């Protein structure tokens, strides 16, 4: 990809299939930041903006829109999440906080490309900045299936065949950025939760505090 996007220092993103444990890791990492008194902000996409809430209704199947509309909504939500002057990612970074985010544009490339052209989804997201660190919690679609089957609330992507395609979409999205300066780590998501969080912590905080 020519003209790689800007990298946002201290911006850390967790990605993975549904059931791969991104939300659990975010919680564990938040705890470690609190214990070590490191200024931080934990956030997620879809965000809790009005656009993000609208997206959640669609994901739960309460509302229906065309796949391209959903891709556009995710991009609009991301734009607000990044650039909102009061509470956006960039405003938090500029206050010296580390920003940890559960999902980002790689989710759009992986999930929305199931029903939209990959290059179209990329065109909607290619101008957004990249995180300094991207962690992919690697759990196979089969492994995730076992974990999410226990969940009460289902969403429109909870289907093993769709999850296979999303996994392929993730691989394709990582290739797009392989020559960028973003630090990409594939973590074995089947490891013990605590072990994963310790691994991530040792990468984002290599020096003893
Ligand atoms: P959510 O209920 O927030 O929980 P979790 O991330 O823990 O699964 O689900 C978010 C869903 O939204 C998830 O299935 C991935 C999907 N998604 C997209 O399809 N595109 C995107 O750009 C993002 C950020 C998420």
């Amino acid at each position: 990809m020519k003209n790689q996007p800007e990298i946002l220092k201290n911006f850390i993103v967790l990605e993975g299939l549904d059931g791969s444990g991104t939300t659990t890791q975010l919680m564990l990492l938040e705890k470690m930041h609190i214990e070590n008194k490191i200024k931080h902000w934990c956030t997620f996409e879809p965000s809790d903006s009005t656009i993000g809430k609208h997206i959640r209704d669609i994901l739960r199947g309460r509302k229906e829109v065309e796949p391209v509309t959903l891709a556009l909504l995710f991009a609009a939500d991301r734009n607000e999440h990044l650039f909102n002057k009061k509470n956006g990612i960039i405003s938090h970074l500029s206050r010296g906080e580390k920003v940890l985010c559960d999902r980002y544009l790689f989710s759009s490339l992986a999930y929305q490309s199931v029903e939209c052209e990959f290059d179209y989804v990329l065109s909607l997201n290619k101008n957004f900045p990249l995180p300094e660190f991207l962690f992919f919690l690697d759990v196979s679609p089969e492994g995730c299936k076992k974990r999410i089957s226990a969940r009460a609330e289902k969403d429109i992507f909870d289907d093993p065949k769709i999850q296979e395609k999303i996994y392929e979409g993730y691989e394709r999205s990582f290739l797009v950025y392989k020559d960028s300066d973003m630090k990409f780590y594939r973590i074995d998501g089947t490891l013990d939760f605590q072990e994963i969080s310790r691994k991530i912590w040792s990468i984002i905080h290599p020096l003893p505090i």
Side-chain angles (χ1 to χ4, degrees), residues 13-18 22 45 101-104 107 111 170:
V13 168
L14 303 174
E15 289 277 2
L17 292 181
D18 295 282
T22 57
E45 291 193 0
C101 187
D102 185 354
R103 301 189 177 282
Y104 187 55
S107 280
Y111 284 74
Y170 265 128

Side-chain angles (χ1 to χ4, degrees), residues 18 23 56 59-60 74 78 103 108 111-112 155 157:
D18 295 282
T23 308
R56 281 179 201 282
L59 296 177
R60 301 277 180 259
F74 271 115
R78 184 157 302 125
R103 301 189 177 282
S108 277
Y111 284 74
Q112 275 58 67
D155 80 26
F157 302 118

Side-chain angles (χ1 to χ4, degrees), residues 65-175:
V65 299
E66 291 303 309
V68 166
T69 311
L70 185 56
L72 287 162
L73 283 169
F74 271 115
D77 182 49
R78 184 157 302 125
N79 197 72
E80 200 51 34
H81 191 210
L82 273 166
F83 300 113
N84 183 284
K85 287 196 181 56
K86 277 194 197 139
N87 203 29
I89 291 171
I90 291 177
S91 78
H92 281 273
L93 290 171
S94 70
R95 280 177 241 149
E97 296 169 20
K98 285 195 182 287
V99 176
L100 298 119
C101 187
D102 185 354
R103 301 189 177 282
Y104 187 55
L105 61 83
F106 313 94
S107 280
S108 277
L109 295 175
Y111 284 74
Q112 275 58 67
S113 68
V114 172
E115 291 193 278
C116 306
E117 286 294 325
F118 184 90
D119 286 341
Y120 174 70
V121 185
L122 182 60
S123 74
L124 297 179
N125 287 278
K126 73 176 190 320
N127 290 328
F128 291 131
L130 294 176
E132 180 181 5
F133 294 98
L134 167 61
F135 294 96
F136 178 60
L137 302 186
D138 197 352
V139 180
S140 68
E142 191 55 37
C144 286
K145 190 177 135 194
K146 291 197 191 108
R147 295 187 186 181
I148 56 179
S149 59
R151 286 187 187 171
E153 255 197 314
K154 302 281 176 223
D155 80 26
I156 55 174
F157 302 118
D158 286 352
D159 173 299
K161 285 210 177 66
I162 298 178
Q163 291 288 320
E164 291 277 353
K165 287 192 184 149
I166 296 167
Y167 192 88
E168 287 164 21
Y170 265 128
E171 296 293 3
R172 195 167 170 193
S173 79
F174 302 145
L175 281 180

